[in-house]
Each structure stands twice: as structure tokens, then as C-alpha cells.
Amino acid sequence: MRLSPERLYHFLHMAYLRWLSCCYFCPDVWISFAKFEAQYSWERATAVLDKAGAAIPGSLLLRTAYCDFLEEQHHADDARSLYEKTLRDFNEPILWILFMQFERRQRGALAARSVFSRGRAALCHPSLFLAAGWRFRCFSETADLERNANRDPAQGLAILKAGMTHFQDDAQYVLGFAEYLRQIGDAFNAVALLQQSIERVDEAGKAALWDKIVLLQAQYALDGDINRMFDLEKQFRTQLPSKTNAGI
């Protein structure tokens, strides 16, 4: 039996309502429902997402998905306004990154840099520092933007150097910086950075930095001397003896 468009809409609309009755606090369901409604009425689609925001006001996932939805539907100004409102409510590092990427797509590099400057000012306040794994993301993401989108590795390098004033004792940041140097073809300075940072990071960070040093030395044969590899591995064993490097 072939359904008319009106009947098909009615059946699918009711199916989404039943779905929500079981998954009322699931952002993905609300977003899927809004995308369905957008095929028929923009007003109904935004009404769905407004209800979603009232249902789960503390969901950052819903807010960012709503921003993506607005951008996909070519409502960039509304998406920008929602990003700004969400930043006032959450001020999370990942949100600054997403907003920066949004502005890069919509307005270009200068707008993205402006967002980065604002995010850096907010995230470098001690009370807003988050888990170490996220600390460097605004810096590293902006550096990658400069290198990939704007073909400007020097600008990206300057951004990461600025980040070192805040995160020089953060092994995750140092590893991200070293990986950036490797990607722009500067493995020698990547190793130098890692070696200089070993004494500033905690014990777990030291092991991660040593692993990266040994890996880069093996991959790039930076001084062409196999004995240098043996010396590095000996230093690794001496400074950080453990079961994992005992057989090196």
C-alpha cells in the first residue's frame, strides 16, 4: 500500500514521539527528529530543538549538535548566536574549538583567530584549567588550522610556542608540540623539545617523552649513528627503570 505524503509524515511523526517516550533524554533522538521535521517545516524543526533544550538543558552534546544543525540548514547567524550563548553557559575547551572551526568555515582565518584569542584568554585563567588531556587543544587545533587551511606553519609554530608559557610542564602538550614539528618536517627540533622538557614533567610524562624520543630517533636516524640509538636507550633504562624497558 502506498501512503500519501501527508499520511507518511503523520506515521513517521508519531514514530518519533513514541521513540522519545523511551529516550527522552537522548540528544541524538531529538536531533534526528528535528532533521526529519526540517524536511517539512523549519518552524516545527526549531520547535523540536527548543523542547529538547528544555528537556536536557545541561547537555553540551545537544547544544553543539544544534549548532551543527543550524549550520547545515544554512542558518549561520543563528548558529553563531547559539555558540555565543552556549559559551556563556559552559565555557568548555572543546566548545571553543568547535566555534573556531565554525568561524573558519563561515568567515575565514581572521575570524577563527579572533575566536582563538578569546578562548585562550578564558582557558588560561587558572580556575578554568581542565584535565591535562584537554589543556592544549585550543593551541594545537589553531596551529593545525594555520598549517593546513592557511598554509602557514610558521604561524602555527608561534601559537604553540606561546602555549609553552602555560603548559611547559604538561606532557600531553609537549607531545602535541613535538608531533606538530614532526609533521612540518622538523624532527630534529622535535627531539630537542622533548629532551628539554623531560625534567619539567611528572614521572608518567617522562616515560611518554622518552618513548617519543626513541621512536623519532629510530624513524628518522637523525644523526646517522646507530650507537646514538643505543646511548639513548641506555639513558632511558637508567633514568626510568621499569619492566617495559628492561629488554631494550
Side-chain angles (χ1 to χ4, degrees):
M1 180 179 70
R2 184 170 185 142
L3 297 174
S4 67
E6 294 78 11
R7 294 281 289 170
L8 179 62
Y9 167 78
H10 174 74
F11 279 120
L12 290 173
H13 178 84
M14 293 304 296
Y16 270 110
L17 291 178
R18 292 189 186 97
W19 193 8
L20 280 171
S21 70
C22 303
C23 306
Y24 191 69
F25 299 105
C26 181
D28 291 344
V29 178
W30 286 101
I31 292 296
S32 180
F33 189 13
K35 288 182 177 180
F36 163 74
E37 291 288 6
Q39 300 174 56
Y40 300 91
S41 167
W42 178 248
E43 289 73 20
R44 287 201 295 266
T46 55
V48 166
L49 288 170
D50 288 341
K51 288 180 181 178
I56 39 179
S59 173
L60 182 58
L61 174 60
L62 176 65
R63 298 280 194 97
T64 55
Y66 195 170
C67 291
D68 288 342
F69 173 73
L70 290 169
E71 184 181 9
E72 290 169 4
Q73 299 296 322
H74 308 293
H75 291 265
D77 289 342
D78 291 338
R80 185 173 295 107
S81 297
L82 184 56
Y83 269 119
E84 294 285 5
K85 182 180 184 303
T86 306
L87 279 167
R88 290 194 294 273
D89 294 340
F90 289 92
N91 198 31
E92 297 278 354
I94 187 61
L95 187 56
W96 283 105
I97 294 165
L98 293 173
F99 189 23
M100 182 177 65
Q101 293 171 342
F102 166 81
E103 288 289 38
R104 175 64 182 84
R105 293 190 297 270
Q106 293 295 323
R107 291 179 169 177
L110 288 178
R113 288 172 188 161
S114 176
V115 172
F116 167 70
S117 296
R118 291 172 53 197
R120 183 176 68 174
L123 295 173
C124 288
H125 191 284
S127 66
L128 296 175
F129 281 164
L130 300 182
W134 286 103
R135 283 183 177 182
F136 64 89
R137 288 295 299 278
C138 267
F139 287 91
S140 61
E141 289 284 345
T142 306
D144 285 341
L145 182 150
E146 296 290 350
R147 177 170 58 88
N148 297 326
N150 305 325
R151 303 179 185 277
D152 189 358
Q155 180 67 19
L157 191 60
I159 289 167
L160 288 170
K161 286 180 177 178
M164 283 293 286
T165 62
H166 303 285
F167 312 125
Q168 61 181 330
D169 60 347
D170 188 326
Q172 291 288 338
Y173 188 88
V174 174
L175 287 167
F177 194 170
E179 179 59 19
Y180 181 88
L181 289 168
R182 186 196 67 79
Q183 290 178 6
I184 64 173
D186 194 0
F188 182 84
N189 278 321
V191 169
L193 171 68
L194 293 165
Q195 290 174 327
Q196 292 164 9
S197 302
I198 283 176
E199 296 306 317
R200 291 194 290 260
V201 302
D202 60 20
E203 290 303 308
K206 285 180 171 61
L209 265 56
W210 268 112
D211 282 340
K212 189 70 171 178
I213 290 170
V214 172
L215 178 63
L216 288 173
Q217 187 72 32
Q219 285 180 326
Y220 292 92
L222 295 175
D223 48 22
D225 184 358
I226 191 64
N227 291 321
R228 174 61 178 154
M229 274 296 303
F230 294 144
D231 290 341
L232 278 174
E233 291 166 353
K234 183 177 179 181
Q235 283 182 267
F236 187 12
R237 288 197 308 273
T238 302
Q239 294 189 21
L240 294 169
S242 69
K243 292 180 180 180
T244 57
N245 64 28
I248 293 178

